[in-house]
Amino acid sequence: AASVALGYHAHTNARQGSFVFADRSSADSVRASVNHQATFRTSGGFRIFTNNTLTAGVTLSAGGSSWTVVSDRNRKENFLAVDGEYLLSRLRTVPVTTWNYIAEGQQVRHIGPMAQDWDRAFGFSGDPLTINTGDFDGVNLAAAQALERRTAEQQARIEALERENAALKARLDRVEALMARGAKPVKP
């Protein structure tokens, strides 16, 4: 009922509203497992382009398990520097909670920000009900870089304070040794 099967050994498995696409990389059947499901076997990978010149979109590499986003510098423009400290201050305002999608039920938990809070803090996607994963990754990377800079600066300060502390301890040890011998300390 309202199902489609295309390709080699593609079967809807009598599941309504299903779409099944199978390449010819295997003699095994590809079947829908529930109603209203899209199932693809594309052993050579999966590509989705969102413009007519094939320069924007996502791919799923052969054998891969996560989307790869088109991110070529030559396909972008209007670059502006990012202030990681500013992003950190904005990131601090974004609540992160655990939750479940109503459609999935309470047994499937997720963690992350709400799109409305993300939009209020950053406003990158132009849609207050979604979070672009590329922007999410960019904010997190810039924040991590800012934290690394902070860490390096703090480490340098700690090392300088430790050297100063060691010099003061050595000076105190000399003063205490002189006082133990009954001598009066003099300024170095």
Side-chain angles (χ1 to χ4, degrees):
S3 293
V4 175
L6 296 170
Y8 190 72
H9 288 282
H11 298 278
T12 63
N13 204 21
R15 303 297 181 174
Q16 10 177 339
S18 294
F19 182 90
V20 179
F21 176 85
D23 64 10
R24 196 171 179 186
S25 64
S26 171
D28 294 336
S29 295
V30 176
R31 299 175 180 271
S33 59
V34 296
N35 291 337
H36 312 291
Q37 179 185 69
T39 304
F40 297 86
R41 178 179 62 208
T42 57
S43 63
F46 200 90
R47 303 183 309 162
I48 299 174
F49 295 104
T50 57
N51 66 354
N52 62 350
T53 58
L54 308 179
T55 58
V58 295
T59 62
L60 184 59
S61 298
S65 62
S66 61
W67 291 107
T68 302
V69 179
V70 173
S71 190
D72 178 6
R73 174 186 311 278
N74 298 310
R75 296 176 184 182
K76 300 173 182 180
E77 62 184 2
N78 301 315
F79 300 97
L80 298 173
V82 173
D83 180 350
E85 287 296 328
Y86 174 75
L87 288 178
L88 276 173
S89 72
R90 302 301 302 154
L91 198 53
R92 251 188 305 276
T93 70
V94 179
V96 177
T97 58
T98 64
W99 41 268
N100 65 275
Y101 284 108
I102 295 168
E104 285 183 317
Q106 295 179 14
Q107 69 279 7
V108 180
R109 301 293 296 169
H110 299 280
I111 185 170
M114 298 300 113
Q116 294 88 338
D117 298 324
W118 184 264
D119 183 65
R120 195 170 19 264
F122 303 110
F124 288 127
S125 74
D127 179 357
L129 303 180
T130 63
I131 299 174
N132 178 297
T133 58
D135 294 336
F136 191 81
D137 293 343
V139 166
N140 288 332
L141 183 58
Q145 288 175 341
L147 290 174
E148 170 52 29
R149 275 190 296 280
R150 266 193 209 174
T151 302
E153 290 168 2
Q154 289 175 350
Q155 185 60 38
R157 186 164 186 262
I158 288 169
E159 289 170 2
L161 289 170
E162 286 174 343
R163 284 190 301 275
E164 181 182 354
N165 191 45
L168 289 171
K169 184 180 181 323
R171 182 176 170 196
L172 179 60
D173 289 346
R174 285 190 307 272
V175 168
E176 287 177 345
L178 286 172
M179 291 177 69
R181 290 192 305 244
K184 291 190 171 193
V186 293
K187 286 188 177 180

